[in-house]
Amino acid sequence: MILTKEPEDYRLTSTGCGFSLIKKSRAITNPVRHFHPWWEILYIESGERTFFYANRTLHILAGTFLCIAPGILHRAVNPEGEVCSLYNVYFADNGVPLSENNARFSSLVPILQQMEPCVALLPEAQEEIRTLFACMGTEIFSKDSGWEELAWAYLSEIIVKVSREKTKAGVALQPSEKMNAHIAAVIDYLNVNYTKPLSLASVAQRFKLSPSHLSRSFKEETHFGFVEYINSLRITKACRLLADKKRSVLEIAMECGFGSLTQFGRCFRSLTGTNPLDYRAGRRSFL
């Protein structure tokens, strides 16, 4: 495999293949919001990254492959001095999720569904996966005859090989450090009760903590603000409910725990980049 055309860094939100491809040689920042309705895969080529996934903060190193299902709350956070190079694929074209009616994608979905969310690859597999990502990027930039077929072939090979490697390398989904027991209990409580009326003061009282201590500790442990985390859970549920076009946006907002349609709309746009009606219609922004 000869690599001659892949740039050092790029962000292709529309590759012509139906998915988006990103390469960063120095990834040090990430948007505050990181939530989307499509599949995502991420490969850390070198360096390290702190990553919040579902309800755990992870410290991941070079050679780690992440597979993130639609609707999973996640976010990369970058402590001072933490830098990594990475490849990133979103199964979306300009913010529109790739349909499972796409034959190439539909053949990969069952494999993605069975994959561990985070896998630490063995050294010999790391170089192979990096090369496959680079080859995919080279084909997309070349636009030579058959480039689309080869790009999909490289992407398919990446996913299949990583799904097999997990049995050899083991799962890397481990907390960066043991989470504060109080905050772990709060997270479990919020994950179950997020549609109910909740406030920092009421939750702090329930767990016999001061509001200021809870706010500070929650941010330190999760890298999310207390209200930001609750709203993220609510919007995740709202996105699922919006698939039912018989239900009104107001009904969905109330069921998800929002006090008003205005609050719901503001939070929804903040987390998804679009409004609920456009999301339902499939006109989604790319985050």
Side-chain angles (χ1 to χ4, degrees), residues 52 55 179-194 198-211 213-219 221-222 224-227 229-230 233:
F52 184 85
N55 61 356
M179 182 173 283
N180 178 294
H182 284 114
I183 301 304
V186 169
I187 289 175
D188 289 342
Y189 177 77
L190 297 181
N191 287 348
V192 173
N193 297 282
Y194 63 89
L198 295 172
S199 69
L200 179 65
S202 65
V203 175
Q205 182 179 26
R206 180 182 185 88
F207 287 90
K208 297 180 172 56
L209 302 169
S210 72
H213 175 73
L214 174 57
S215 178
R216 183 177 61 256
S217 299
F218 193 91
K219 183 77 171 182
E221 294 283 357
T222 69
F224 280 86
F226 180 82
V227 174
Y229 183 77
I230 294 171
L233 295 175

Side-chain angles (χ1 to χ4, degrees), residues 44 100 112-113 182:
I44 306 299
E100 291 191 22
L112 292 169
Q113 291 173 335
H182 284 114

